[in-house]
Amino acid sequence: MSLYWAFLRRDWFSQTSYKMFFVGQVAQMVALVAIVYLIGSAVGGFAGFSVGLGFVKFLLVGIAFADLFTACVQAGPNTLRDAQVTGTLETMMLAPIRTLHLILASSLFPILRSALRAIIVLTIGSAYFHFWPQADLLGAVLVVVPAYLAFAAVSLLGSAYVLAFKQGDPVTGGFMAVNAILGGAVIPLAKLPVILQDAGLFLPLTHALAGIRDSFEGKPLTTIGAETAVLWLSFAVLGPLAFLAFRAALKIAAREGSLVHY
């Protein structure tokens, strides 16, 4: 735990050295909610919601958690790529610490920062618009945990790509773009063409957002059971695959002595 705390302290002091860090985060999220309100109020009827705040509530949950999971997916590849470009990757790898722990520790602050943004957005929605009065936070946690693990596995796959090809990772960016479009973050899945609806069912964000929205509406845990099961299955498939890919990429890079190349 001391390793994670050390990296968290490092990134905390680096970010908060900018005096407007917290003000900037809050201002960005307030502006985002205002934009979502204007867009959601204007097009809610066309999106299949009753005219009013229904679509705004849909968008706030989608954007907040899509941002959180995007941060999770991109944290690992971004950490490795930054280390490659700055020439610190080899030094990091030589430290008496497992590489996976280094990536996780370096990824901690970006994920927590995104979680803070999500909390700000959801707090505004709850306090100002009175959304989710019967939210089941336990149910939301039961969905978020397997969703986070599934997206973390994708992040590890992206990290393997960075090690193997010495380039910025296009995999995770493309993956999250597809998830955002087809996963119900901003467009209700039911409003997409049938073929895209079917494709969306294979994306973890679809089930994560569906389960979270149901939890926020206070629906029983049995309702979110199917979504949670799909997310655990996604992790069961992606987790071992990502670990094997990352280990293979690391061995190849170490054998070729290419850790300092980029």
Side-chain angles (χ1 to χ4, degrees):
M1 291 303 294
S2 58
L3 170 69
Y4 292 88
W5 178 244
F7 272 84
L8 185 59
R9 279 172 53 87
R10 181 202 65 178
D11 294 336
W12 167 263
F13 286 123
S14 174
Q15 290 291 319
T16 55
S17 63
Y18 301 96
K19 301 302 181 183
M20 299 295 288
F21 172 74
F22 285 110
V23 175
Q25 294 294 310
V26 174
Q28 289 175 18
M29 294 304 103
V30 171
L32 174 64
V33 172
I35 293 171
V36 167
Y37 171 74
L38 293 174
I39 295 175
S41 299
V43 305
F46 297 101
F49 294 84
S50 59
V51 177
L53 297 178
F55 191 48
V56 176
K57 179 166 61 174
F58 177 88
L59 283 176
L60 288 182
V61 173
I63 291 174
F65 283 96
D67 178 65
L68 175 61
F69 294 135
T70 298
C72 173
V73 165
Q74 296 184 340
N78 288 349
T79 294
L80 284 182
R81 185 57 183 163
D82 289 344
Q84 283 180 339
V85 173
T86 57
T88 59
L89 180 59
E90 187 176 33
T91 303
M92 289 174 58
M93 296 299 185
L94 290 175
I97 303 167
R98 297 186 66 177
T99 304
L100 188 58
H101 289 305
L102 284 172
I103 295 176
L104 292 175
S106 300
S107 305
L108 187 58
F109 185 83
I111 294 172
L112 290 178
R113 182 178 56 196
S114 184
L116 172 63
R117 292 200 295 263
I119 289 171
I120 292 172
V121 168
L122 298 175
T123 299
I124 295 173
S126 178
Y128 186 80
F129 297 111
H130 305 292
F131 293 154
W132 317 297
Q134 299 179 350
D136 181 1
L137 297 183
L138 174 60
V141 170
L142 292 177
V143 176
V144 169
V145 169
Y148 173 85
L149 292 174
F151 284 112
V154 176
S155 179
L156 197 58
L157 282 171
S159 300
Y161 181 96
V162 172
L163 282 177
F165 297 102
K166 314 298 183 294
Q167 296 179 4
D169 168 39
V171 176
T172 55
F175 176 79
M176 289 310 299
V178 172
N179 270 266
I181 296 171
L182 303 183
V186 296
I187 304 173
L189 193 63
K191 295 301 176 181
L192 295 174
V194 174
I195 188 171
L196 296 183
Q197 292 183 37
D198 293 339
L201 294 176
F202 290 94
L203 300 175
L205 188 64
T206 301
H207 302 280
L209 292 180
I212 291 168
R213 287 186 175 115
D214 284 345
S215 298
F216 277 20
E217 294 300 326
K219 294 183 179 180
L221 295 179
T222 52
T223 304
I224 66 172
E227 312 294 355
T228 305
V230 171
L231 292 170
W232 279 113
L233 178 61
S234 299
F235 171 63
V237 173
L238 292 171
L241 176 64
F243 178 77
L244 291 174
F246 182 79
R247 188 170 66 174
L250 185 60
K251 285 183 177 180
I252 292 172
R255 184 173 64 247
E256 295 178 347
S258 59
L259 288 175
V260 296
H261 299 163
Y262 66 91

